[in-house]
Amino acid sequence: MLATPSGSPACADDGRPRRLAAQLADMIPGAATIRVSLTDLTQTWPHLHAVVKDEAGRTMELGRPTARVAARWILRVWPEVDWMRPHTFCLADATLTRSDLVAAERGR
């Protein structure tokens, strides 16, 4: 995207999350949500981690490269987010929500 002399984008990029959702849906057929964080329970240091689930809530097995690419793309759209806390990207409505907040709402 072209930038103005001030360094800001020449036009607003409000559709970026929707485009990302469409790209991820094409890349991972059947995916409904992608949970992303920097805390992989199998690692002792911050490590990019993604869990993909289908509409029924079942975890989908992905190759490591595909999972990492999906997680990186999501991180790039929301660089300001605290990724030490897990967040879930919903492909249906292109929204990002902190995963621990979603779990708390379900428990009510």
Side-chain angles (χ1 to χ4, degrees):
M1 177 183 301
L2 298 174
T4 61
S6 67
S8 62
C11 62
D13 202 5
D14 296 332
R16 196 169 180 198
R18 290 216 179 274
R19 286 194 309 272
L20 175 62
Q23 289 172 326
L24 290 171
D26 286 344
M27 186 170 84
I28 311 168
T33 63
I34 303 174
R35 183 178 178 268
V36 180
S37 74
L38 289 176
T39 52
D40 182 350
L41 299 177
T42 63
Q43 304 290 329
T44 57
W45 59 88
H47 189 79
L48 190 57
H49 183 66
V51 176
V52 179
K53 296 199 175 194
D54 64 12
E55 282 292 328
R58 293 182 302 254
T59 301
M60 297 176 63
E61 295 296 323
L62 294 181
R64 190 173 179 180
T66 303
R68 283 208 172 159
V69 166
R72 284 182 185 143
W73 287 0
I74 293 169
L75 263 69
R76 288 181 182 154
V77 171
W78 289 279
E80 71 284 354
V81 169
D82 175 11
W83 290 106
M84 293 308 285
R85 295 186 179 271
H87 287 73
T88 301
F89 181 54
C90 178
L91 276 60
D93 58 8
T95 58
L96 185 74
T97 310
R98 232 175 69 196
S99 297
D100 53 349
L101 296 179
V102 172
E105 287 176 10
R106 277 192 221 139
R108 289 183 197 182

